[in-house]
Amino acid sequence: MSNQVSATDPTRNRILFAGMELFGRKGYQSTSIADILLAAGAHSGSLYHFFPTKQDLLLAVLEMYRDGIEPMLLAPAWQHVADPIERIFALLASYRRALEQTDCTYGCPIGSLALELHEPDPPVRELLAVNFLGWVNHVRLCLEAGRQRLPRDVDTDALATFILTTMEGGVMQARTHRSLSAFDISVAVLRDYFKRLESDAKGEHR
Amino acid sequence: MSNQVSATDPTRNRILFAGMELFGRKGYQSTSIADILLAAGAHSGSLYHFFPTKQDLLLAVLEMYRDGIEPMLLAPAWQHVADPIERIFALLASYRRALEQTDCTYGCPIGSLALELHEPDPPVRELLAVNFLGWVNHVRLCLEAGRQRLPRDVDTDALATFILTTMEGGVMQARTHRSLSAFDISVAVLRDYFKRLESDAKGEHR
């Protein structure tokens, strides 16, 4: 009960969104408690009340990403896209928009945290992994929905993992080059792979 | 001349290798000056003589990676592999070994630094980008050498970029899951893509 009350407390939410924004933009280690208090317009007493340590805030941010994957990420990306394979490319396009809107400084907050934190504590690593697995699972469901367009021997779980690989590797290079080019190239090559998969699937049905 | 002398100074080299090891294992921001001095067995006077700031050491480490791509990375990976396409997979296998030997905590130091440093100063970002471009260029040369096995419309530069994407995205997930699985899956799907490319190229020659 007390958890439910605190989960909707406006001050807690302001701190949570400030942490989400700062960890994504500046990184976890570069974000100070002072940064969080300033961005949230909160006092240190409130911060320590809701999040005794910075890691507690990080865990809450990662839980918010985990719970937000459908309402915050997929629903907006898929609003006008019904085709299951096109939904995958629409999801990738939403990362492109994030890169474009931030001059290629912001891509995937989970990927950044995964590589920034060299030896994350087990609960942090667990939540990073859960976020990746949630993403992969939603993509896998798209692939399952488009199953008849893929060759019979395609493992949809493996292909979904590979699509996350493509997104993360593309975002990393785009951020480093401060240019969308490597991201666009990665998505275009993935498109070519799908084109060949769909063509091979047609061959099987002949 | 003084640069040449200092570039081979044994104390400078000890500091440089300590920085390389620590930035790769712990990350840049988590590595303290004290960590570097301890690992290098050096005094702070020597450190500041050769590298006035921690960023100067980072730049020298990134230059060492840039200059070391052939002798340190490619030569060992390609020692017993002549086939140009197989050289690409041998290069990927060398990252797998790094992951395996470190319980999946260490993969690609350039990728880690690229995502750890959220707003890297221009000279740092430039050297991260140069490292990526050097890697992609070597892979592109492999693809050029195996050109006749690929369909005519394949852009070898784009495909080389995509192979870096695959490596970096796979390493990121392997580190997060502390398991080789997502890396192995990513490489296996890339293999499948190559299989279909080579099969389509044979079709063109018929």
Side-chain angles (χ1 to χ4, degrees):
Chain A
M1 188 60 137
S2 84
N3 263 344
Q4 288 190 346
V5 171
S6 65
T8 54
D9 183 283
T11 305
R12 183 184 185 277
N13 282 344
R14 283 207 316 278
I15 296 169
L16 196 50
F17 280 99
M20 189 178 227
E21 198 274 325
L22 288 162
F23 296 159
R25 181 165 55 80
K26 293 187 65 170
Y28 178 69
Q29 305 206 51
S30 300
T31 296
S32 67
I33 297 297
D35 291 335
I36 296 163
L37 295 177
L38 183 68
H43 297 289
S44 60
S46 306
L47 176 62
Y48 293 120
H49 171 67
F50 293 115
F51 306 105
T53 69
K54 195 165 90 167
Q55 181 172 304
D56 290 318
L57 177 57
L58 175 62
L59 292 171
V61 164
L62 291 173
E63 284 167 0
M64 189 156 61
Y65 280 121
R66 175 199 63 197
D67 300 338
I69 187 165
E70 286 205 65
M72 297 196 309
L73 183 66
L74 302 180
W78 293 350
Q79 204 176 353
H80 304 295
V81 186
D83 181 275
I85 304 291
E86 289 313 310
R87 284 192 159 192
I88 293 170
F89 288 94
L91 175 59
L92 296 175
S94 73
Y95 287 89
R96 186 187 198 280
R97 273 194 300 281
L99 287 167
E100 199 174 23
Q101 285 162 4
T102 60
D103 195 22
C104 293
T105 58
Y106 181 89
C108 171
I110 306 301
S112 292
L113 289 164
L115 290 197
E116 182 197 333
L117 303 170
H118 275 246
E119 289 166 50
D121 290 324
V124 173
R125 197 168 64 71
E126 183 63 30
L127 272 170
L128 289 166
V130 160
N131 270 280
F132 279 156
L133 292 175
W135 199 101
V136 165
N137 193 48
H138 282 285
V139 170
R140 185 184 61 77
L141 293 174
C142 291
L143 294 169
E144 285 297 330
R147 190 76 192 83
Q148 78 291 351
R149 281 147 65 186
L150 300 171
R152 275 186 291 271
D153 66 350
V154 162
D155 176 336
T156 52
D157 196 45
L159 183 52
T161 297
F162 187 70
I163 291 164
L164 178 57
T165 291
T166 302
M167 183 277 277
E168 292 291 1
V171 164
M172 179 191 289
Q173 289 172 77
R175 283 187 47 189
T176 305
H177 295 303
R178 286 279 197 281
S179 151
L180 289 165
S181 171
F183 185 84
D184 287 343
I185 285 171
S186 299
V187 173
V189 176
L190 184 69
R191 270 272 185 208
D192 180 74
Y193 182 42
F194 267 87
K195 191 189 77 182
R196 291 176 202 276
L197 287 173
E198 296 198 29
S199 163
D200 290 350
K202 277 188 193 139
E204 282 178 358
H205 290 123
R206 250 176 236 137
Chain B
M1 190 58 140
S2 84
N3 263 344
Q4 288 189 347
V5 172
S6 66
T8 55
D9 183 283
T11 305
R12 184 184 184 278
N13 281 345
R14 283 208 314 280
I15 296 169
L16 196 49
F17 281 99
M20 189 177 227
E21 198 273 326
L22 288 163
F23 296 159
R25 180 165 55 79
K26 293 188 64 170
Y28 178 68
Q29 304 206 52
S30 300
T31 296
S32 68
I33 298 296
D35 291 335
I36 296 163
L37 295 176
L38 183 68
H43 296 288
S44 60
S46 306
L47 176 62
Y48 294 120
H49 170 68
F50 293 114
F51 306 104
T53 68
K54 195 166 90 166
Q55 182 172 303
D56 289 318
L57 177 57
L58 175 62
L59 292 171
V61 165
L62 291 174
E63 284 167 0
M64 189 157 60
Y65 280 121
R66 175 198 63 198
D67 299 339
I69 187 165
E70 285 205 64
M72 297 196 310
L73 183 66
L74 302 180
W78 293 350
Q79 204 176 352
H80 304 295
V81 186
D83 181 274
I85 304 291
E86 289 312 310
R87 283 191 159 192
I88 293 169
F89 288 94
L91 176 59
L92 296 176
S94 72
Y95 287 89
R96 186 188 198 279
R97 274 194 300 281
L99 286 167
E100 198 174 24
Q101 285 162 5
T102 59
D103 196 20
C104 292
T105 59
Y106 181 89
C108 171
I110 307 300
S112 292
L113 288 165
L115 290 197
E116 182 197 332
L117 303 170
H118 275 245
E119 289 166 50
D121 289 324
V124 174
R125 197 168 63 73
E126 183 62 31
L127 272 169
L128 290 167
V130 161
N131 270 280
F132 278 156
L133 292 175
W135 199 101
V136 165
N137 193 49
H138 282 286
V139 170
R140 186 184 60 77
L141 292 174
C142 291
L143 293 170
E144 286 296 330
R147 190 75 191 82
Q148 78 290 348
R149 282 147 64 188
L150 300 172
R152 276 187 289 272
D153 65 350
V154 162
D155 176 336
T156 53
D157 196 45
L159 184 52
T161 298
F162 187 72
I163 291 163
L164 178 57
T165 292
T166 302
M167 184 277 277
E168 293 291 1
V171 164
M172 179 191 289
Q173 288 172 78
R175 283 187 48 190
T176 306
H177 295 303
R178 285 279 198 282
S179 152
L180 289 165
S181 171
F183 185 84
D184 287 342
I185 285 171
S186 299
V187 173
V189 176
L190 184 69
R191 271 274 185 207
D192 181 73
Y193 182 42
F194 267 87
K195 192 189 76 182
R196 291 176 202 275
L197 287 173
E198 297 197 29
S199 163
D200 289 350
K202 277 188 192 138
E204 282 178 358
H205 290 123
R206 250 176 235 137

